[in-house]
Amino acid sequence: MSIRLDTIGKSFGGFTALGDINLEIEPGEFLALLGPSGSGKTTLLRIVAGLEFPDHGRVFYDGEDITDLKVADRGVGFVFQHYALFRHMTVADNVAFGLTIRKRRDRPAKAEIRDRVQKLLDLVQLGQLGNRYPAQLSGGQRQRVALARALAIEPRLLLLDEPFGALDARVRKDLRRWLRELHDRMGLTSIFVTHDQDEALELADRVVVMDHGVIEQVATPQQIYDEPASAFVFDFVGESNQVPVTVDGDRVIAFDRLLDVPPATLAGMGGAARLFFRPHDAEIVGEGANGLAATVTLVRPNSGSMRVEGKLEGSDRLVEIDVAQGAAPGQGERIFVRPTRAKLYAGTAG
Amino acid sequence: MRNGATSESRLARAVIMAIGLGFFGLFLLMPLLVVFAQALAGGIGAYLDAIVEPDALAAIRLTLLVAAISVPANIVFGIAAAWAITKFDFPGKSILITFIDLPFSVSPVVSGLIYVLLFGAQGWLGPWLAEHDIQIIFAVPGMVLATIFVTFPFVARELIPLMAEQGRDDEEAALSLGATGWQTFWHATLPNIRWGLLYGVLLCNARAMGEFGAVSVVSGHIRGETNTMPLHVEILYNEYNFIAAFAVASLLALLALVTLVLKSLLEWRYDYHGKGTGH
């Protein structure tokens, strides 16, 4: 199912949760809404579901305007962060709920409901646990029950609000992979909300990065990581160093020292700017070259390479770079760091 | 003998226990025993006579009637108020939360007088009511209204913290699965609040049957017609008919004991479920 959001806005009291969101989602896509808390990502998901209504703007499912349709009439699957299972019902009754409450003429026969519930429980690998109560299950199992329950009404759109947020790291990773498989196998369109960049980058076809109620970037995980559209995205996704600089023609000055940056970085820049680069996109150069002067404060192993932390001369800022295991400087040593791949954003440092 | 910062000497412990038990015996147990002793002072026969006497039976019937109307009314109001407060944001919400407690903080006599002022012959609506031949004050409707007023907070107060803690997730889950508003309430909300609701109903019922002050103001004390059990007890007592007074009072005391037992049972159930250990 395709979804189109047209200038969606929403405020709570005086607080603007969402400001004029435009977004298109392709059928079969697995989309992540990524952002810090308060970025409006959950509100946006709830508006797509019909659990919340926008102050202005329209929501389209397959080109049809369903903005005013209530959640009960939209037929979407919604999975809550804290599962929201019905405690007084067995697992099987929970999964069957969306079917058993239907009007008699739309309701499948009892035997058929039982079959479908069993199939769904098998699908989420809980085939034997239909008679248990939610309280007797682990967190990961509960979330799978919640998923089976949402899938029982055969939605074409699956919405997940921080689906792995309440689970421990190990279970989260397994469930993540499994969810992606499920999405592909069932031909669903899925949107999930997360504040975990790893989760978004690993799972999604496209990632929507949000901050303060606006979309900062919509792109594939690779593009988000390699070509962050704004300083916020660079900072929020992946590890990064941030250095305030002044751009003067084709010269970049950082803390009164000339700094060599890759030439492409400079395009159209002038005046105060912020230079961003990833720890693995930098090298240590000799004193004669134009690099950032820093004093090494910490050296530690970091998955295959060495992470070097240094304090920049002339400021309190830290810089972090990754170097090959044999090439790490000693603690207290003076080094010069030059980014090999970087991005400049206009404005002063935040 | 001291074996920790919080352990008291044996003497201090004995004194504290003596004070606690002493007060319990003096102020709770003894009066309760006195009620039953006085009621049975003339023998079982006199006790039963006092209870099956027509005015006493009328008082019992009226008490049950008032409770039978005001308790369901309070269940509806209580759930509606708790629902509105915990599941929606609306202007005036904090005022509503404050005013739900009003009947607890105001003297029951005032609660009764409010209705006299509203519906009495000299009250705001008095002339209109007289015109249409509707009697509220010194009649059953007034007593029901006064009872509803004084018992209003019981159900709501029990449910508000419970529903606030549970949030809206379960309801939203039900709605997203296609449930109607009524199905959502029945399948998602009610099962989550049932023990709290029962607890509130129990306390509400005890108060509805035992209420004296507010009901006294609006009752008119017409024997066999507008006397509830507490009012009937007072009349009998004022007539020095001690055996009958205590006999009817013993029924109220029994009600209290039954309420306490049920309350303990509910608390046990409630805790058990509250811990989420299943069924």
Side-chain angles (χ1 to χ4, degrees):
Chain A
M1 186 160 79
S2 76
I3 294 155
R4 188 158 68 84
L5 303 177
D6 184 16
T7 56
I8 297 287
K10 174 84 182 172
S11 43
F12 297 105
F15 171 73
T16 306
L18 291 174
D20 294 345
I21 299 286
N22 290 295
L23 186 64
E24 293 204 29
I25 298 147
E26 302 291 322
E29 199 170 15
F30 203 150
L31 190 85
L33 301 178
L34 174 68
S37 59
S39 59
K41 56 193 192 303
T42 294
T43 305
L44 189 62
L45 188 80
R46 290 168 60 85
I47 286 174
V48 173
L51 289 169
E52 210 88 63
F53 291 93
D55 296 340
H56 59 79
R58 315 302 296 174
V59 182
F60 299 88
Y61 286 0
D62 280 338
E64 190 188 341
D65 185 344
I66 48 82
T67 315
D68 300 318
L69 213 58
K70 284 184 295 189
V71 58
D73 302 323
R74 290 196 188 184
V76 298
F78 199 99
V79 175
F80 294 82
Q81 179 176 5
H82 298 288
Y83 331 124
L85 295 177
F86 305 126
R87 274 164 281 185
H88 59 287
M89 291 183 197
T90 61
V91 164
D93 287 343
N94 263 285
V95 176
F97 185 81
L99 302 173
T100 50
I101 54 158
R102 284 189 185 166
K103 288 201 197 77
R104 191 180 298 264
R105 63 186 157 81
D106 303 326
R107 193 193 311 150
K110 264 208 174 114
E112 199 197 323
I113 291 181
R114 201 165 42 228
D115 277 1
R116 266 165 78 172
V117 167
Q118 192 55 49
K119 280 208 186 85
L120 283 162
L121 286 177
D122 290 339
L123 181 73
V124 298
Q125 298 156 2
L126 294 172
Q128 307 305 310
L129 302 183
N131 292 323
R132 298 268 187 96
Y133 282 91
Q136 297 165 310
L137 303 183
S138 70
Q141 289 173 326
R142 285 184 218 179
Q143 196 56 299
R144 280 184 280 157
V145 174
L147 201 59
R149 183 178 67 177
L151 293 174
I153 59 170
E154 299 184 320
R156 288 182 301 154
L157 175 63
L158 186 62
L159 304 172
L160 309 107
D161 183 8
E162 300 260 5
F164 316 114
L167 302 172
D168 54 59
R170 178 93 185 243
V171 178
R172 202 182 307 174
K173 198 140 198 186
D174 287 346
L175 209 52
R176 217 141 88 177
R177 201 164 304 141
W178 174 84
L179 179 67
R180 177 72 224 203
E181 276 172 33
L182 192 76
H183 164 91
D184 292 338
R185 189 144 37 112
M186 299 191 70
L188 292 161
T189 304
S190 307
I191 306 177
F192 74 104
V193 158
T194 182
H195 63 264
D196 180 341
Q197 37 151 326
D198 289 339
E199 204 164 285
L201 297 185
E202 182 188 322
L203 266 181
D205 297 321
R206 280 195 306 159
V207 178
V208 178
V209 184
M210 296 182 67
D211 186 39
H212 290 113
V214 297
I215 293 179
E216 293 276 335
Q217 189 171 11
V218 185
T220 64
Q222 191 73 50
Q223 287 168 328
I224 294 271
Y225 191 79
D226 291 341
E227 306 290 334
S230 67
F232 171 80
V233 178
F234 208 124
D235 192 34
F236 189 71
V237 179
E239 292 181 298
S240 62
N241 293 295
Q242 187 186 154
V243 181
V245 297
T246 309
V247 181
D248 177 16
D250 57 358
R251 298 190 314 157
V252 175
I253 297 136
F255 303 117
D256 300 329
R257 280 179 65 94
L258 215 51
L259 176 63
D260 281 349
V261 298
T265 318
L266 283 168
M269 278 289 162
R274 286 171 288 171
L275 180 79
F276 281 81
F277 60 95
R278 309 260 181 229
H280 54 76
D281 288 333
E283 58 187 0
I284 295 178
V285 293
E287 185 165 6
N290 293 326
L292 294 159
T295 311
V296 176
T297 53
L298 184 72
V299 180
R300 63 176 169 85
N302 181 39
S303 52
S305 57
M306 295 303 279
R307 170 63 52 92
V308 177
E309 269 181 39
K311 196 174 90 55
L312 285 174
E313 265 170 35
S315 106
D316 288 335
R317 281 178 185 276
L318 290 177
V319 65
E320 288 183 302
I321 59 167
D322 290 336
V323 298
Q325 243 152 10
Q331 202 149 326
E333 204 174 307
R334 190 158 180 251
I335 56 168
F336 300 90
V337 175
R338 189 169 63 184
T340 51
R341 184 189 163 98
K343 235 173 135 56
L344 274 169
Y345 298 98
T348 49
Chain B
M1 189 181 94
R2 286 171 173 276
N3 48 17
T6 55
S7 74
E8 306 297 338
S9 75
R10 201 172 292 192
L11 180 69
R13 220 176 338 168
V15 169
I16 291 167
M17 277 171 65
I19 292 175
L21 288 175
F23 269 80
F24 167 74
L26 201 62
F27 288 98
L28 294 176
L29 194 59
M30 215 165 70
L32 199 60
L33 290 176
V34 166
V35 170
F36 287 99
Q38 280 286 340
L40 294 166
I44 268 285
Y47 177 79
L48 290 178
D49 281 349
I51 287 173
V52 298
E53 188 256 342
D55 286 348
L57 280 181
I60 293 170
R61 264 199 303 273
L62 184 60
T63 299
L64 292 176
L65 176 70
V66 168
I69 299 172
S70 53
V71 171
N74 268 323
I75 294 176
V76 174
F77 293 157
I79 291 176
W83 183 290
I85 285 172
T86 54
K87 314 265 167 178
F88 301 108
D89 295 312
F90 53 91
K93 180 164 153 173
S94 54
I95 297 178
L96 180 58
I97 295 172
T98 312
F99 272 78
I100 275 185
D101 278 346
L102 181 71
F104 277 175
S105 54
V106 77
S107 162
V109 176
V110 179
S111 313
L113 280 173
I114 292 167
Y115 289 97
V116 175
L117 278 175
L118 271 177
F119 303 118
Q122 266 73 48
W124 289 359
L125 300 172
W128 186 87
L129 290 169
E131 227 169 80
H132 293 79
D133 206 20
I134 302 169
Q135 189 167 15
I136 290 182
I137 297 306
F138 306 137
V140 175
M143 301 169 75
V144 171
L145 283 175
T147 307
I148 289 177
F149 181 86
V150 295
T151 54
F152 185 86
F154 282 105
V155 174
R157 278 193 64 109
E158 202 56 50
L159 294 186
I160 288 169
L162 194 61
M163 289 169 89
E165 183 201 317
Q166 286 169 348
R168 306 177 197 184
D169 275 10
D170 283 16
E171 279 84 6
E172 287 181 345
L175 288 171
S176 76
L177 292 165
T180 61
W182 175 250
Q183 285 172 325
T184 300
F185 173 74
W186 194 253
H187 295 294
T189 308
L190 198 58
N192 282 345
I193 61 169
R194 58 189 164 181
W195 298 114
L197 180 64
L198 259 175
Y199 190 91
V201 166
L202 192 67
L203 295 180
C204 175
N205 182 60
R207 181 70 189 266
M209 291 190 172
E211 174 57 24
F212 180 81
V215 172
S216 173
V217 174
V218 294
S219 137
H221 304 276
I222 307 162
R223 269 196 191 206
E225 277 181 42
T226 62
N227 263 353
T228 57
M229 286 161 75
L231 302 181
H232 190 61
V233 170
E234 194 212 12
I235 289 179
L236 291 171
Y237 185 79
N238 287 343
E239 289 169 349
Y240 303 105
N241 192 349
F242 293 136
I243 288 183
F246 279 103
V248 178
S250 74
L251 293 181
L252 287 170
L254 266 181
L255 169 73
L257 290 177
V258 170
T259 302
L260 282 180
V261 170
L262 289 176
K263 182 170 159 283
S264 309
L265 279 175
L266 272 179
E267 274 165 358
W268 176 74
R269 252 335 282 244
Y270 208 172
D271 258 13
Y272 176 67
H273 277 263
K275 286 186 190 113
T277 46
H279 294 238

PDB file of all heavy atoms in Angstrom, chain A residues 124-144:
ATOM      1  N   VAL A 124       4.907 -16.668  14.176  1.00  0.00           N
ATOM      2  CA  VAL A 124       5.758 -15.920  15.110  1.00  0.00           C
ATOM      3  C   VAL A 124       6.489 -16.862  16.069  1.00  0.00           C
ATOM      4  O   VAL A 124       7.007 -16.452  17.100  1.00  0.00           O
ATOM      5  CB  VAL A 124       4.964 -14.856  15.912  1.00  0.00           C
ATOM      6  CG1 VAL A 124       4.381 -13.826  14.985  1.00  0.00           C
ATOM      7  CG2 VAL A 124       3.888 -15.489  16.770  1.00  0.00           C
ATOM      8  N   GLN A 125       6.494 -18.150  15.708  1.00  0.00           N
ATOM      9  CA  GLN A 125       7.243 -19.166  16.449  1.00  0.00           C
ATOM     10  C   GLN A 125       6.790 -19.325  17.897  1.00  0.00           C
ATOM     11  O   GLN A 125       7.590 -19.499  18.805  1.00  0.00           O
ATOM     12  CB  GLN A 125       8.747 -18.858  16.390  1.00  0.00           C
ATOM     13  CG  GLN A 125       9.272 -18.884  14.968  1.00  0.00           C
ATOM     14  CD  GLN A 125      10.521 -18.056  14.793  1.00  0.00           C
ATOM     15  OE1 GLN A 125      11.019 -17.480  15.748  1.00  0.00           O
ATOM     16  NE2 GLN A 125      11.027 -17.997  13.584  1.00  0.00           N
ATOM     17  N   LEU A 126       5.459 -19.204  18.102  1.00  0.00           N
ATOM     18  CA  LEU A 126       4.915 -19.396  19.441  1.00  0.00           C
ATOM     19  C   LEU A 126       3.771 -20.407  19.397  1.00  0.00           C
ATOM     20  O   LEU A 126       2.839 -20.347  20.178  1.00  0.00           O
ATOM     21  CB  LEU A 126       4.391 -18.063  19.997  1.00  0.00           C
ATOM     22  CG  LEU A 126       5.443 -16.987  20.265  1.00  0.00           C
ATOM     23  CD1 LEU A 126       4.758 -15.676  20.619  1.00  0.00           C
ATOM     24  CD2 LEU A 126       6.378 -17.407  21.385  1.00  0.00           C
ATOM     25  N   GLY A 127       3.863 -21.341  18.450  1.00  0.00           N
ATOM     26  CA  GLY A 127       2.782 -22.279  18.193  1.00  0.00           C
ATOM     27  C   GLY A 127       2.290 -23.034  19.411  1.00  0.00           C
ATOM     28  O   GLY A 127       1.113 -23.353  19.510  1.00  0.00           O
ATOM     29  N   GLN A 128       3.166 -23.292  20.371  1.00  0.00           N
ATOM     30  CA  GLN A 128       2.780 -24.112  21.527  1.00  0.00           C
ATOM     31  C   GLN A 128       2.222 -23.286  22.687  1.00  0.00           C
ATOM     32  O   GLN A 128       1.798 -23.833  23.694  1.00  0.00           O
ATOM     33  CB  GLN A 128       4.000 -24.898  22.047  1.00  0.00           C
ATOM     34  CG  GLN A 128       4.703 -25.720  20.982  1.00  0.00           C
ATOM     35  CD  GLN A 128       3.755 -26.667  20.282  1.00  0.00           C
ATOM     36  OE1 GLN A 128       3.012 -27.405  20.928  1.00  0.00           O
ATOM     37  NE2 GLN A 128       3.741 -26.629  18.951  1.00  0.00           N
ATOM     38  N   LEU A 129       2.268 -21.961  22.571  1.00  0.00           N
ATOM     39  CA  LEU A 129       2.000 -21.130  23.751  1.00  0.00           C
ATOM     40  C   LEU A 129       0.623 -20.476  23.735  1.00  0.00           C
ATOM     41  O   LEU A 129       0.361 -19.559  24.507  1.00  0.00           O
ATOM     42  CB  LEU A 129       3.082 -20.054  23.893  1.00  0.00           C
ATOM     43  CG  LEU A 129       4.514 -20.594  24.008  1.00  0.00           C
ATOM     44  CD1 LEU A 129       5.494 -19.446  24.208  1.00  0.00           C
ATOM     45  CD2 LEU A 129       4.635 -21.576  25.162  1.00  0.00           C
ATOM     46  N   GLY A 130      -0.262 -20.945  22.868  1.00  0.00           N
ATOM     47  CA  GLY A 130      -1.580 -20.322  22.724  1.00  0.00           C
ATOM     48  C   GLY A 130      -2.385 -20.244  23.999  1.00  0.00           C
ATOM     49  O   GLY A 130      -3.174 -19.321  24.183  1.00  0.00           O
ATOM     50  N   ASN A 131      -2.176 -21.201  24.925  1.00  0.00           N
ATOM     51  CA  ASN A 131      -2.985 -21.209  26.146  1.00  0.00           C
ATOM     52  C   ASN A 131      -2.370 -20.428  27.295  1.00  0.00           C
ATOM     53  O   ASN A 131      -2.967 -20.324  28.360  1.00  0.00           O
ATOM     54  CB  ASN A 131      -3.231 -22.647  26.598  1.00  0.00           C
ATOM     55  CG  ASN A 131      -4.125 -23.375  25.613  1.00  0.00           C
ATOM     56  OD1 ASN A 131      -5.053 -22.772  25.054  1.00  0.00           O
ATOM     57  ND2 ASN A 131      -3.829 -24.643  25.365  1.00  0.00           N
ATOM     58  N   ARG A 132      -1.187 -19.907  27.074  1.00  0.00           N
ATOM     59  CA  ARG A 132      -0.550 -19.116  28.132  1.00  0.00           C
ATOM     60  C   ARG A 132      -1.206 -17.741  28.233  1.00  0.00           C
ATOM     61  O   ARG A 132      -1.880 -17.290  27.321  1.00  0.00           O
ATOM     62  CB  ARG A 132       0.934 -18.926  27.812  1.00  0.00           C
ATOM     63  CG  ARG A 132       1.735 -20.194  27.750  1.00  0.00           C
ATOM     64  CD  ARG A 132       2.343 -20.518  29.103  1.00  0.00           C
ATOM     65  NE  ARG A 132       3.240 -21.660  28.994  1.00  0.00           N
ATOM     66  CZ  ARG A 132       4.550 -21.549  28.835  1.00  0.00           C
ATOM     67  NH1 ARG A 132       5.110 -20.350  28.749  1.00  0.00           N
ATOM     68  NH2 ARG A 132       5.302 -22.621  28.755  1.00  0.00           N
ATOM     69  N   TYR A 133      -0.907 -17.070  29.372  1.00  0.00           N
ATOM     70  CA  TYR A 133      -1.305 -15.673  29.518  1.00  0.00           C
ATOM     71  C   TYR A 133      -0.072 -14.798  29.273  1.00  0.00           C
ATOM     72  O   TYR A 133       1.068 -15.243  29.512  1.00  0.00           O
ATOM     73  CB  TYR A 133      -1.880 -15.427  30.912  1.00  0.00           C
ATOM     74  CG  TYR A 133      -3.291 -15.934  31.028  1.00  0.00           C
ATOM     75  CD1 TYR A 133      -3.549 -17.222  31.453  1.00  0.00           C
ATOM     76  CD2 TYR A 133      -4.360 -15.124  30.665  1.00  0.00           C
ATOM     77  CE1 TYR A 133      -4.845 -17.710  31.523  1.00  0.00           C
ATOM     78  CE2 TYR A 133      -5.662 -15.589  30.739  1.00  0.00           C
ATOM     79  CZ  TYR A 133      -5.898 -16.879  31.161  1.00  0.00           C
ATOM     80  OH  TYR A 133      -7.178 -17.332  31.220  1.00  0.00           O
ATOM     81  N   PRO A 134      -0.305 -13.544  28.837  1.00  0.00           N
ATOM     82  CA  PRO A 134       0.842 -12.677  28.518  1.00  0.00           C
ATOM     83  C   PRO A 134       1.860 -12.593  29.650  1.00  0.00           C
ATOM     84  O   PRO A 134       3.061 -12.557  29.405  1.00  0.00           O
ATOM     85  CB  PRO A 134       0.174 -11.326  28.271  1.00  0.00           C
ATOM     86  CG  PRO A 134      -1.177 -11.662  27.755  1.00  0.00           C
ATOM     87  CD  PRO A 134      -1.588 -12.919  28.480  1.00  0.00           C
ATOM     88  N   ALA A 135       1.373 -12.599  30.905  1.00  0.00           N
ATOM     89  CA  ALA A 135       2.288 -12.450  32.040  1.00  0.00           C
ATOM     90  C   ALA A 135       3.278 -13.616  32.133  1.00  0.00           C
ATOM     91  O   ALA A 135       4.309 -13.502  32.776  1.00  0.00           O
ATOM     92  CB  ALA A 135       1.497 -12.331  33.339  1.00  0.00           C
ATOM     93  N   GLN A 136       2.935 -14.731  31.475  1.00  0.00           N
ATOM     94  CA  GLN A 136       3.816 -15.897  31.558  1.00  0.00           C
ATOM     95  C   GLN A 136       4.854 -15.922  30.449  1.00  0.00           C
ATOM     96  O   GLN A 136       5.593 -16.891  30.322  1.00  0.00           O
ATOM     97  CB  GLN A 136       2.959 -17.170  31.498  1.00  0.00           C
ATOM     98  CG  GLN A 136       2.004 -17.297  32.680  1.00  0.00           C
ATOM     99  CD  GLN A 136       0.934 -18.338  32.439  1.00  0.00           C
ATOM    100  OE1 GLN A 136       0.283 -18.343  31.412  1.00  0.00           O
ATOM    101  NE2 GLN A 136       0.761 -19.228  33.409  1.00  0.00           N
ATOM    102  N   LEU A 137       4.882 -14.872  29.625  1.00  0.00           N
ATOM    103  CA  LEU A 137       5.815 -14.841  28.499  1.00  0.00           C
ATOM    104  C   LEU A 137       6.945 -13.847  28.754  1.00  0.00           C
ATOM    105  O   LEU A 137       6.806 -12.917  29.536  1.00  0.00           O
ATOM    106  CB  LEU A 137       5.083 -14.435  27.219  1.00  0.00           C
ATOM    107  CG  LEU A 137       3.885 -15.274  26.790  1.00  0.00           C
ATOM    108  CD1 LEU A 137       3.345 -14.758  25.473  1.00  0.00           C
ATOM    109  CD2 LEU A 137       4.255 -16.742  26.667  1.00  0.00           C
ATOM    110  N   SER A 138       8.051 -14.039  28.043  1.00  0.00           N
ATOM    111  CA  SER A 138       9.146 -13.076  28.101  1.00  0.00           C
ATOM    112  C   SER A 138       8.806 -11.876  27.223  1.00  0.00           C
ATOM    113  O   SER A 138       7.856 -11.912  26.440  1.00  0.00           O
ATOM    114  CB  SER A 138      10.424 -13.723  27.594  1.00  0.00           C
ATOM    115  OG  SER A 138      10.318 -13.925  26.197  1.00  0.00           O
ATOM    116  N   GLY A 139       9.582 -10.812  27.359  1.00  0.00           N
ATOM    117  CA  GLY A 139       9.329  -9.595  26.589  1.00  0.00           C
ATOM    118  C   GLY A 139       9.328  -9.839  25.081  1.00  0.00           C
ATOM    119  O   GLY A 139       8.434  -9.384  24.372  1.00  0.00           O
ATOM    120  N   GLY A 140      10.311 -10.589  24.624  1.00  0.00           N
ATOM    121  CA  GLY A 140      10.401 -10.856  23.189  1.00  0.00           C
ATOM    122  C   GLY A 140       9.211 -11.659  22.691  1.00  0.00           C
ATOM    123  O   GLY A 140       8.675 -11.408  21.610  1.00  0.00           O
ATOM    124  N   GLN A 141       8.771 -12.624  23.515  1.00  0.00           N
ATOM    125  CA  GLN A 141       7.602 -13.430  23.143  1.00  0.00           C
ATOM    126  C   GLN A 141       6.347 -12.570  23.103  1.00  0.00           C
ATOM    127  O   GLN A 141       5.517 -12.699  22.219  1.00  0.00           O
ATOM    128  CB  GLN A 141       7.417 -14.574  24.142  1.00  0.00           C
ATOM    129  CG  GLN A 141       8.490 -15.641  24.016  1.00  0.00           C
ATOM    130  CD  GLN A 141       8.394 -16.685  25.119  1.00  0.00           C
ATOM    131  OE1 GLN A 141       8.025 -16.367  26.256  1.00  0.00           O
ATOM    132  NE2 GLN A 141       8.735 -17.919  24.811  1.00  0.00           N
ATOM    133  N   ARG A 142       6.233 -11.665  24.099  1.00  0.00           N
ATOM    134  CA  ARG A 142       5.054 -10.800  24.127  1.00  0.00           C
ATOM    135  C   ARG A 142       4.989  -9.926  22.879  1.00  0.00           C
ATOM    136  O   ARG A 142       3.930  -9.726  22.303  1.00  0.00           O
ATOM    137  CB  ARG A 142       5.090  -9.886  25.356  1.00  0.00           C
ATOM    138  CG  ARG A 142       4.743 -10.619  26.621  1.00  0.00           C
ATOM    139  CD  ARG A 142       4.694  -9.666  27.784  1.00  0.00           C
ATOM    140  NE  ARG A 142       5.238 -10.322  28.957  1.00  0.00           N
ATOM    141  CZ  ARG A 142       5.351  -9.746  30.142  1.00  0.00           C
ATOM    142  NH1 ARG A 142       4.993  -8.494  30.286  1.00  0.00           N
ATOM    143  NH2 ARG A 142       5.838 -10.400  31.157  1.00  0.00           N
ATOM    144  N   GLN A 143       6.147  -9.403  22.485  1.00  0.00           N
ATOM    145  CA  GLN A 143       6.125  -8.534  21.317  1.00  0.00           C
ATOM    146  C   GLN A 143       5.749  -9.331  20.072  1.00  0.00           C
ATOM    147  O   GLN A 143       5.097  -8.807  19.182  1.00  0.00           O
ATOM    148  CB  GLN A 143       7.480  -7.833  21.165  1.00  0.00           C
ATOM    149  CG  GLN A 143       7.476  -6.642  20.231  1.00  0.00           C
ATOM    150  CD  GLN A 143       6.456  -5.577  20.603  1.00  0.00           C
ATOM    151  OE1 GLN A 143       5.249  -5.827  20.626  1.00  0.00           O
ATOM    152  NE2 GLN A 143       6.913  -4.390  20.911  1.00  0.00           N
ATOM    153  N   ARG A 144       6.128 -10.602  20.019  1.00  0.00           N
ATOM    154  CA  ARG A 144       5.746 -11.420  18.868  1.00  0.00           C
ATOM    155  C   ARG A 144       4.254 -11.719  18.886  1.00  0.00           C
ATOM    156  O   ARG A 144       3.619 -11.790  17.834  1.00  0.00           O
ATOM    157  CB  ARG A 144       6.580 -12.701  18.829  1.00  0.00           C
ATOM    158  CG  ARG A 144       7.965 -12.423  18.229  1.00  0.00           C
ATOM    159  CD  ARG A 144       8.769 -13.674  18.078  1.00  0.00           C
ATOM    160  NE  ARG A 144       9.383 -14.061  19.350  1.00  0.00           N
ATOM    161  CZ  ARG A 144       9.762 -15.302  19.630  1.00  0.00           C
ATOM    162  NH1 ARG A 144       9.579 -16.256  18.756  1.00  0.00           N
ATOM    163  NH2 ARG A 144      10.314 -15.564  20.785  1.00  0.00           N
TER     164      ARG A 144
END
